[in-house]
Structure formats: C-alpha cells, structure tokens
Amino acid sequence: MGLGASKRVNNSLRNSSQFNSACDSAFTHCLSLTQHAYDGVLPYQLKTASDHIHTLLLSDTNPHPLIHKWVATPPDRSQVDSALRRVNHRGETLGSAPFKDWAHELYTDAVVAGAGKALMLRVPVGVAGIVGIGALARPAPVVIGSFVGAYSLGVGISIFLGLSA
C-alpha cells in the first residue's frame, strides 16, 4: 500500500482515544501480571499485550473501525517481534511511552497488511470478471483495458480512503 497509507493509519491510531485507552489498559494488565515487579512490560509479554489490545478494540460496543475492518485476528509473534525491533528497544522493559510506540507500529503494520491483502484479492477477481465479460461481449481490447484500469484504480482509491478512522 505504501508510505502514504502507513502515515494515514498511524495518524488515525495516534489520534484515537479508543486505541490509546486500549494501550493503557494492556500496559496496566501486563504490569499486574508481573505483580508490578518491573517498571514496564517485558518483551515476552508483548504477544499477550497485543492480544489484549485486539480484544479490547473489538469487544467494545463500538469497535475501532480500522481494527474491525482490516485486522480480523491479533498480530502473530513475528509481527510483534518485528515491531519491537523497529521501535529500537534497547532496555529490558518497555515503559509506557515506548510501549505505545510499539503498539502503534504493530497495529499500523497490521492494518496496512490487511488492506494490502484485500487489494490483492479484489483486483484480480474483478479483472477476471471484466475480462470474462469482455470475452463474451467482444468489445475492442482498448475498451477492456480501460475498464480494467478504471476498476483497479477505483478499488485502490476505495481501500486507501478506508484507511482512516
């Protein structure tokens, strides 16, 4: 989807009080699991924290629109670890601010990946339908090419515009 899509999603998540509240709740939950023995979240707890955030964002009476639409399941362990590496985590624990940075990075990537999968599914299916109808109707190849291009552009724009809450 590209850099513009990532920025759009990241801004939406950073400005979302619902997402930030879920991050705060997950941070507190992880601290309580270690009985406040540490001043932050340990790296091995991040998958649990990610699952907790995902559950909170989907269980509300008003689910977060980006997570509801593009992230059907919580991010897996490889995505969790990848986001941790990108946040440049150097210490043993993640304090509140680095934890939120990690969560924003993780869910930005998850939303963009979900939108990318949708794009990769919708465009080929639609193009196949257009080409199939074109084979039956036998219009000029330029017309079919124009329809395919317009359809692909429309799907891409529609998904891009759906990346803000």
Side-chain angles (χ1 to χ4, degrees), residues 30-135:
C30 288
L31 289 180
S32 69
L33 289 175
T34 60
Q35 299 175 350
H36 297 273
Y38 302 94
D39 60 349
V41 176
L42 296 165
Y44 75 85
Q45 293 179 296
L46 292 177
K47 175 64 174 132
T48 302
S50 169
D51 294 348
H52 190 78
I53 291 169
H54 190 267
T55 300
L56 288 173
L57 292 174
L58 292 183
S59 67
D60 289 341
T61 56
N62 181 24
H64 193 282
L66 287 177
I67 306 304
H68 179 71
K69 187 171 185 175
W70 302 114
V71 188
T73 60
D76 62 22
R77 174 55 87 180
S78 65
Q79 292 171 305
V80 168
D81 292 342
S82 177
L84 179 62
R85 283 189 299 274
R86 282 194 306 277
V87 172
N88 294 327
H89 170 63
R90 303 239 191 269
E92 184 176 311
T93 62
L94 286 173
S96 181
F99 178 81
K100 277 190 180 178
D101 289 342
W102 164 81
H104 287 116
E105 185 76 26
L106 175 66
Y107 277 92
T108 295
D109 287 350
V111 168
V112 171
K117 286 178 188 175
L119 184 66
M120 297 305 288
L121 176 69
R122 291 179 191 169
V123 169
V125 169
V127 167
I130 292 170
V131 170
I133 291 171

